Amino acid sequence: MPITLRLALRDWDYMTPLVLGDVSSPKLDIKVERVGTLISHVGKSDAYDAAETSFSRYTQMRIDGDDSVVGIPNFIMRGFRHRCVITTKDSPITTFAQLAGKRIGVTGWRDSGNTWTRAALRREGVGVEDAMWYAGRLTEAHPIVDRLDGFGRPGRIEAAPGERPMVDLLKEGQLDAIFTPFMPDGYFAGSSGFRQLLSDFRAAEHRYFADVGYVPGMHLIGFKTEFVAEHPWVIAELSALIDESQRVWLSKRRKYADTTPFMLDELLKSASELPEGWDASGFVANRKMIADFAGELHAQGILPRLMTPEELFPFDVDGNRTSAA
């Protein structure tokens, strides 16, 4: 008799086989709920047993001694960040180094993606103290909420002026650039007035990968600790299903690439330019990336001390304890 696992996920395309049941397990009856906003704390949720979880917020739980959530190093969202910095089409800024002394908007200070983007800037000599930062909503459609998350500092890290949408502030010249993982509505129209800050962000991402050896992870899978204690095998089972769903979806994307012009070319480039296993799950495969992220959180003042990968992930994707846990 399979046990029921209530799982909250965003609409990642490669989860489609799992959601539709094309990938399944005789041991698990997975009830996937598609969510637009991440569950803030699955350990306190009555609705879910596991959920897609922010990497940065998970690290905060661990350093706070909150062990109600067990994170596994299966990074359901990962991607390069150089493409996530936008500016206006008429801006003279074309390099990250030119952002020194400029006004930069972020959609959330502690967000994992924005932490990685600041890490990319720091590699170009622009640290937190070298720019003026504003946290706010991207567009009018986004809610007004606290995006400073306790990290505001007058004169350095502030809320967006008047809580106005940052795309409006960028258009008016009150911001020089915005960090955003998701492009605003209308961005892909030729008349949007916006562009990626780096004209060849792909080349920058290639250089970054050559230097660090990984594609940054933003979101992972978090389980309620009590659920794992009752069903210790569930970590390995769900992680394997997620990996299989990714494999099935990639195969289908390659077969049906004509749904988007030039997609076949993109798939060919990705396959030839990134090594096999670049998106592998597991502690060993991702240990350096995990360590670097913890280091960035500490260097950027988000974590009060440096945490080890083993502290962050006591369990691997096979359900076994990591070496120092």
Side-chain angles (χ1 to χ4, degrees):
M1 186 74 176
I3 66 166
T4 298
L5 175 69
R6 302 167 300 167
L7 176 64
L9 294 175
R10 276 184 168 174
D11 275 342
W12 302 114
D13 55 3
Y14 53 81
M15 290 295 100
T16 302
L18 182 68
V19 172
L20 295 181
D22 296 338
V23 172
S24 61
S25 164
K27 300 171 70 175
L28 284 177
D29 177 19
I30 301 177
K31 305 294 187 185
V32 176
E33 179 159 339
R34 298 154 56 205
V35 295
T37 302
L38 295 188
I39 307 305
S40 60
H41 195 312
V42 68
K44 298 179 179 178
S45 171
D46 294 327
Y48 307 107
D49 306 302
E52 180 178 347
T53 301
S54 160
F55 194 0
S56 64
R57 293 186 184 276
Y58 173 69
T59 61
Q60 189 67 55
M61 290 183 218
R62 299 298 297 179
I63 204 166
D64 288 345
D66 181 351
D67 59 1
S68 64
V69 177
V70 175
I72 62 171
N74 191 314
F75 291 92
I76 197 166
M77 177 188 179
R78 66 167 83 214
F80 292 116
R81 299 291 91 187
H82 296 72
R83 64 192 61 198
C84 297
V85 185
I86 66 173
T87 188
T88 56
K89 286 185 175 178
D90 60 357
S91 170
I93 302 173
T94 58
T95 69
F96 282 175
Q98 290 175 294
L99 287 173
K102 298 298 192 293
R103 300 156 299 179
I104 305 172
V106 295
T107 49
W109 185 256
R110 190 171 55 175
D111 291 357
S112 305
N114 290 331
T115 299
W116 279 119
T117 311
R118 287 193 299 270
L121 256 69
R122 206 158 69 87
R123 294 175 67 87
E124 302 298 325
V126 182
V128 170
E129 304 304 320
D130 300 316
M132 181 65 201
W133 305 86
Y134 296 93
R137 55 181 176 153
L138 184 62
T139 71
E140 189 75 39
H142 292 85
I144 297 176
V145 296
D146 176 18
R147 298 173 188 270
L148 292 170
D149 213 5
F151 293 96
R153 281 191 285 138
R156 182 60 63 196
I157 308 169
E158 300 180 355
E163 299 287 0
R164 296 183 60 214
M166 291 193 298
V167 291
D168 294 345
L169 296 172
L170 183 60
K171 287 177 183 177
E172 296 167 7
Q174 296 187 54
L175 291 177
D176 298 294
I178 296 173
F179 289 4
T180 175
F182 307 115
M183 299 304 110
D185 289 343
Y187 183 85
F188 296 98
S191 59
S192 74
F194 300 121
R195 63 170 172 83
Q196 258 74 30
L197 186 142
L198 299 179
S199 59
D200 192 353
F201 58 81
R202 191 186 189 103
E205 291 166 352
H206 272 291
R207 292 191 295 272
Y208 179 87
F209 186 84
D211 287 344
V212 302
Y214 55 74
V215 178
M218 270 67 71
H219 297 169
L220 52 98
I221 295 296
F223 281 92
K224 281 185 174 177
T225 301
E226 60 188 32
F227 192 86
V228 171
E230 187 175 355
H231 311 287
W233 51 267
V234 74
I235 288 178
E237 193 74 8
L238 181 61
S239 185
L241 289 171
I242 289 172
D243 289 348
E244 179 62 16
S245 187
Q246 289 178 305
R247 286 190 289 269
V248 170
W249 187 251
L250 178 59
S251 177
K252 289 190 175 185
R253 276 213 305 175
R254 288 170 172 172
K255 183 176 181 180
Y256 302 124
D258 284 345
T259 56
T260 305
F262 314 119
M263 179 57 73
L264 181 60
D265 181 57
E266 185 64 27
L267 290 168
L268 287 168
K269 286 180 178 178
S270 294
S272 65
E273 296 173 8
L274 289 173
E276 187 174 353
W278 66 266
D279 57 349
S281 58
F283 183 77
V284 173
N286 291 285
R287 191 185 189 286
K288 182 179 187 300
M289 186 266 287
I290 294 166
D292 285 356
F293 187 66
E296 279 301 327
L297 289 171
H298 180 52
Q300 295 179 27
I302 296 172
L303 290 186
R305 69 172 178 86
L306 183 62
M307 298 191 74
T308 68
E310 289 79 9
E311 285 182 282
L312 290 173
F313 293 96
F315 292 95
D316 203 347
V317 291
D318 57 9
N320 292 324
R321 287 191 170 272
T322 53
S323 59

